[in-house]
Amino acid sequence: MALAEELARTALEFMRRTEAPCLQADALSELASVLRIAGKTDEARQANGEAIGLYTSKGSVVAVARCSAWVAELDGA
């Protein structure tokens, strides 16, 4: 699991160097998934919240809805 988290964080670092907010948000969402599986729910919420902010800034309503549903599921678990 540690390797998966390391790879997800590395991917996010690369995406943060781009001028592509939706790709950055995608990387954050994937990191959130890895963190959730690792039992790091607070960090997962934080990463997903940042992804929602980026998706919202770009008007990606479908991605916002998907991430918001993910948070609701996490909160219900």
Side-chain angles (χ1 to χ4, degrees), residues 17-41:
R17 296 178 193 155
T18 70
E19 294 181 17
C22 285
L23 291 178
Q24 293 172 19
D26 290 346
L28 282 159
S29 180
E30 292 302 322
L31 174 60
S33 295
V34 170
L35 292 169
R36 178 183 181 188
I37 292 168
K40 299 180 178 182
T41 54

Side-chain angles (χ1 to χ4, degrees), residues 25 28-29 32 42-56 64 67-68 70-71:
L28 282 159
S29 180
D42 289 338
E43 289 181 63
R45 277 189 190 90
Q46 182 179 7
N48 205 43
E50 189 177 342
I52 289 171
L54 288 168
Y55 286 135
T56 299
V64 169
C67 287
S68 296
W70 186 91
V71 171

